[in-house]
Amino acid sequence: MDSPPAQQPLPLPSEPPREPILNLPGALTAYVALLAVIHLRVLLPPDLEYWTIEVFGFIPKRYDATLLAAPFPGGTGAKVWTFVTYSLLHANLSHIIFNVLWLLPFGSAVARRFGTARFFLFMAVTAIAGAFAHLVTHEHEIAPMIGASASVSGAMAAAIRFAFARGGFLSLRRGDADAAARVPAQPLTRALRDPRVLAFLGIWFGINIIFGIGSIAVGNEGASVAWQAHIGGFFAGLLLFSLFDPVPRRVPAPAEPN
């Protein structure tokens, strides 16, 4: 008499994969790491540390064409690269932490959507827009402006173009992070009619105009807030988003003939 076949052990239920607590896209991780490495310049002797601000910070007086124009370290080259490099410098640890904390939720979504190359180019373009806004409103200013807040503001503006769409990371119906970052964006005219977007814009502009939180201009008399640069970066992110967005727009289905 044959013995009964041995019972096979029942498979154990597989545990659902655990999401990392801080699951940042590679592009944003690289950007934050770049800011952190550059911030190590604060360990330099004070004279050399401030020299890095003069060479790589954005100084409106550098573009003064009058006879009273003062020479600055960096020469002609600094008139070009400081439109971007100022955004990689920070005054102190609290300054860089503040910018990174704002960047984590919004920059993550934008970095997932754009990919590395587009994300870094976008951050550079919004930094340039912030520098132009600061230059127009601070002509002849000698205090260097530093800080990533213009780029952070641009990332926030880009994010709201798709954040409130169905399935977006600020909508009530959310999927995983990658899917939420790839939902089709709203047209700008429709986004500006969304009450949630308008409420976000009102709060953001109110904070920046009234309190001036963010980017810092370092001068001899202390620090002041370069809130105009935030607004320049924000408008650039809002208006130029479509030039960087690789996700196709949702095309409405054609209406059937009666």
Side-chain angles (χ1 to χ4, degrees):
M1 182 176 181
D2 295 335
S3 59
Q7 293 183 346
Q8 297 294 327
L10 296 176
L12 296 176
S14 58
E15 295 184 1
R18 296 182 179 180
E19 288 290 333
I21 295 177
L22 194 61
N23 185 19
L24 299 180
L28 181 61
T29 301
Y31 182 78
V32 172
L34 178 64
L35 296 181
V37 169
I38 290 175
H39 192 62
L40 294 177
R41 66 181 178 76
V42 299
L43 302 177
L44 297 171
D47 289 346
L48 186 56
E49 191 270 336
Y50 192 75
W51 177 84
T52 64
I53 294 179
E54 290 187 308
V55 173
F56 299 105
F58 188 79
I59 306 174
K61 185 72 173 177
R62 200 191 304 271
Y63 306 91
D64 195 338
T66 67
L67 295 176
L68 300 178
F72 291 97
T76 303
K79 292 184 177 182
V80 178
W81 66 59
T82 56
F83 271 94
V84 174
T85 55
Y86 82 92
S87 67
L88 304 176
L89 305 175
H90 290 84
N92 48 48
L93 189 59
S94 62
H95 187 203
I96 190 173
I97 289 176
F98 184 88
N99 278 330
V100 169
L101 288 178
W102 274 108
L103 188 61
L104 290 181
F106 299 97
S108 291
V110 174
R112 290 179 193 280
R113 188 179 186 94
F114 286 176
T116 302
R118 282 189 177 94
F119 176 73
F120 272 87
L121 181 59
F122 176 83
M123 297 299 277
V125 168
T126 50
I128 292 171
F132 269 116
H134 185 72
L135 179 61
V136 169
T137 55
H138 292 76
E139 189 179 7
H140 310 305
E141 176 67 58
I142 198 171
M145 179 183 70
I146 60 176
S149 295
S151 296
V152 173
S153 299
M156 295 173 71
I160 66 173
R161 291 291 303 274
F162 61 92
F164 295 106
R166 177 173 295 186
F169 72 99
L170 291 181
S171 71
L172 296 178
R173 297 182 179 182
R174 293 182 299 175
D176 62 75
D178 288 322
R182 304 287 294 181
V183 298
Q186 300 183 79
L188 182 58
T189 53
R190 182 182 300 174
L192 294 179
R193 295 196 302 267
D194 190 324
R196 298 166 298 177
V197 173
L198 294 176
F200 184 94
L201 291 174
I203 294 172
W204 188 89
F205 277 98
I207 290 175
N208 278 273
I209 292 175
I210 297 174
F211 299 103
I213 296 177
S215 189
I216 295 177
V218 180
N220 295 329
E221 301 299 327
S224 60
V225 174
W227 58 269
Q228 295 93 338
H230 306 173
I231 294 178
F234 190 91
F235 271 115
L238 191 67
L239 300 176
L240 301 179
F241 168 81
S242 298
L243 298 180
F244 294 87
D245 188 19
V247 179
R249 300 289 187 270
R250 182 182 288 118
V251 179
E256 296 183 359
N258 294 329

